[in-house]
């Protein structure tokens, strides 16, 4: 296996690009894919203050590393979810990385700052842990970014994540989620701009990047995500990709080019009116936002405010 660029010994092959790369040219490939996403989707201006949401996993640590190596001003945010050893180890990985790069990492502990952790929140709200976790993380990321004056939040969602989400949204014809499944969500209604610069890179490439760059990350999956439908979709999609490399890329980028606008236009016509959450002021379609309701159920179930039946957060990703 020879490097596509220099014909030296390759360390990785990427079948959907029909290419293999040596260590040096693989780093160049990864950087160029991120630069291409940033440019194509208008993700960043050179001086933007970026908050990278880091989980301690390969994708978000690699993303932070890439943004720093491209000379962006990027700090990290780790959210302590209270999922036992898994949370302790992942926090440690994020901290070790930050120290090694002399980068600033904000750490917010859900229990200390918001009064509940994910296992407890999921039980109290009678919701699946991943739903509770996703809602909490999105809210906390936005609140921390606003508080500390960051212009952009960057997350480590990669091509495999986006394809699995798209697949699930199509299977269930979740029109609302389809209308918002884009690599950039602009600043609006009190939400800080959100970007996913790794959308052109797959899971395997991100793991290889970390290993080759000497980035130590948490390999274990979250113990609460067992049986999660997203994981099943990824397995099914991997089988299809193995048989026809490039299918995932075509599915996702084909959707962005030819499908997304239809869903966005429809969503614009039927968008419910936005109000301010009576508790925290965040934009919501009900009286009280989904996060405040979850937090009330988890910390003070006796005093849960009844929201309108259609209440939901305006933005999910
Ligand atoms: P997940 O929702 O676990 O698929 O993670 C998607 C992205 O959310 C990651 O790539 C990170 O950017 C971010 N993220 C996940 N967990 C955390 C966490 N505990 N703290 C901060 N950001 C996180
Ligand atoms: Fe959120 Fe596991 S990381 S439920
Ligand atoms: Zn090479
Ligand atoms: Zn609220």
């Amino acid at each position: 296996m020879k490097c596509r660029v220099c014909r030296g010994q390759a360390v990785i092959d990427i079948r959907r690009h029909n290419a293999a790369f040596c260590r040096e040219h693989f780093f160049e490939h990864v950087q160029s894919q991120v630069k291409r996403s940033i440019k194509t989707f208008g993700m960043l201006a050179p001086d933007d203050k970026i908050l990278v949401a880091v989980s301690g996993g390969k994708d978000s640590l690699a993303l932070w590393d890439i943004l720093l190596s491209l000379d962006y001003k990027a700090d990290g945010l780790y959210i302590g979810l209270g999922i036992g050893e898994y949370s302790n180890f992942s926090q440690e990985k994020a901290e070790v990385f930050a120290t090694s790069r002399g980068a600033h990492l904000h750490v917010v502990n859900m229990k200390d700052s918001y009064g509940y952790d994910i296992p407890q929140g999921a039980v109290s709200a009678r919701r699946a842990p991943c739903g509770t976790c996703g809602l909490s993380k999105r809210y906390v990321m936005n609140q921390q970014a606003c508080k500390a004056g960051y212009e952009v939040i960057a997350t480590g969602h990669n091509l495999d994540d986006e394809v699995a989400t798209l697949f699930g949204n199509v299977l269930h014809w979740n029109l609302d989620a389809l209308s918002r499944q884009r690599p950039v969500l602009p600043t609006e209604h009190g939400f800080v701009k959100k970007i996913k610069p790794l959308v052109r890179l797959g899971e395997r490439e991100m793991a290889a990047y970390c290993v080759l760059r000497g980035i130590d990350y948490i390999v274990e999956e979250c113990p609460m995500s067992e049986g999660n439908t997203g994981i099943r979709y990824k397995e099914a999609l991997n089988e299809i990709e193995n048989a026809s490399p490039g299918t995932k890329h075509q599915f996702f980028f084909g959707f962005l080019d030819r499908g997304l606008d239809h869903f966005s236009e429809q969503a614009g016509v039927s968008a419910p009116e936005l109000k301010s959450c009576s508790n925290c002021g965040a934009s919501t379609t009900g009286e009280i936002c989904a996060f405040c309701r979850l937090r009330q159920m988890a910390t003070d179930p006796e005093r849960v405010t009844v929201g309108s039946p259609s209440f939901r957060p305006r933005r999910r990703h």
Side-chain angles (χ1 to χ4, degrees), residues 63-91:
L63 172 61
W64 197 6
D65 186 64
I66 297 162
L67 292 175
L68 291 173
S69 64
L70 292 173
D71 283 336
Y72 283 104
K73 292 183 205 122
D75 294 343
L77 167 66
Y78 175 82
I79 304 167
L81 304 166
I83 307 176
E85 293 276 270
Y86 172 77
S87 287
N88 300 339
F89 287 140
S90 53
Q91 179 170 344

Side-chain angles (χ1 to χ4, degrees), residues 139 277 280 289 292:
Y139 187 93
C277 168
C280 75
C289 77
C292 286

Side-chain angles (χ1 to χ4, degrees), residues 150-172:
Y150 289 93
E151 280 132 343
V152 186
I153 298 168
T155 59
H157 294 94
N158 59 37
L159 179 64
D160 292 82
D161 298 325
E162 292 306 288
V163 169
T165 303
L166 176 60
F167 189 60
N169 287 340
V170 169
L171 286 183
H172 297 102

Side-chain angles (χ1 to χ4, degrees), residues 18-299:
N18 201 13
F21 296 101
C22 70
R23 186 172 184 274
E24 182 195 339
H25 290 120
F26 175 60
F27 292 152
E28 231 176 72
H29 163 79
V30 169
Q31 276 203 354
S32 77
Q33 295 297 311
V34 170
K35 281 200 255 181
R36 186 162 164 192
S37 297
I38 291 174
K39 191 164 174 223
T40 314
F41 299 109
M43 289 183 174
L44 292 170
D47 286 332
D48 275 345
K49 247 182 101 184
I50 310 162
L51 187 62
V52 185
V54 283
S55 63
K58 61 187 184 325
D59 304 300
S60 48
L61 287 179
L63 172 61
W64 197 6
D65 186 64
I66 297 162
L67 292 175
L68 291 173
S69 64
L70 292 173
D71 283 336
Y72 283 104
K73 292 183 205 122
D75 294 343
L77 167 66
Y78 175 82
I79 304 167
L81 304 166
I83 307 176
E85 293 276 270
Y86 172 77
S87 287
N88 300 339
F89 287 140
S90 53
Q91 179 170 344
E92 203 180 296
K93 304 290 181 200
E95 286 173 344
V96 168
F97 177 85
T99 307
S100 74
R101 299 297 193 270
H104 182 63
L105 177 71
H106 301 263
V107 176
V108 174
N109 187 290
M110 286 300 299
K111 183 87 181 164
D112 298 343
S113 301
Y114 297 91
Y116 72 95
D117 58 26
I118 299 307
Q120 181 201 338
V123 171
S124 313
R126 293 197 202 98
R127 281 179 74 136
C130 291
T132 307
C133 178
L135 170 59
S136 307
K137 283 190 296 203
R138 286 189 293 274
Y139 187 93
V140 173
M141 282 175 205
N142 197 63
Q143 198 174 52
Q144 295 300 317
C146 286
K147 211 162 80 179
Y150 289 93
E151 280 132 343
V152 186
I153 298 168
T155 59
H157 294 94
N158 59 37
L159 179 64
D160 292 82
D161 298 325
E162 292 306 288
V163 169
T165 303
L166 176 60
F167 189 60
N169 287 340
V170 169
L171 286 183
H172 297 102
W173 291 118
N174 187 343
L175 302 184
D176 196 36
L178 283 166
S179 74
R180 283 175 283 106
Q181 204 186 335
R182 42 181 89 234
V184 175
L185 290 170
T187 308
E188 58 179 2
H189 312 305
F191 293 103
V192 174
K193 181 174 180 178
K194 277 184 91 177
I195 63 169
K196 299 173 184 173
L198 300 184
V199 285
R200 298 187 62 84
L201 292 154
E203 214 141 75
R204 193 171 143 264
E205 286 137 272
M206 297 332 297
Y209 181 88
C210 286
V211 172
L212 294 167
R213 289 279 290 172
I215 298 171
D216 189 19
Y217 61 89
I218 183 147
V219 177
E220 290 77 30
E221 292 285 343
C222 163
M224 302 199 80
S225 67
E226 224 169 82
N228 172 318
T229 46
I231 296 178
R232 284 209 300 278
Y233 295 157
K234 278 187 179 172
E235 287 165 1
L237 288 157
N238 283 344
E239 266 196 44
I240 300 172
E241 180 76 13
N242 278 341
S244 312
T247 307
K248 288 182 189 177
H249 182 104
Q250 262 172 25
F251 181 43
F252 183 63
F253 287 93
F255 164 75
L256 293 185
D257 282 347
R258 301 196 290 278
L260 177 63
D261 284 350
H262 298 284
F263 296 106
S264 304
E265 277 162 26
Q266 281 203 334
V269 173
S270 59
E273 196 193 325
L274 286 182
K275 306 171 193 166
S276 293
C277 168
S278 57
N279 188 49
C280 75
S283 293
T284 175
T285 52
E287 293 306 315
I288 178 162
C289 77
F291 175 81
C292 286
R293 208 157 103 118
L294 165 65
R295 189 176 176 190
Q296 276 184 355
M297 285 195 235
T299 58

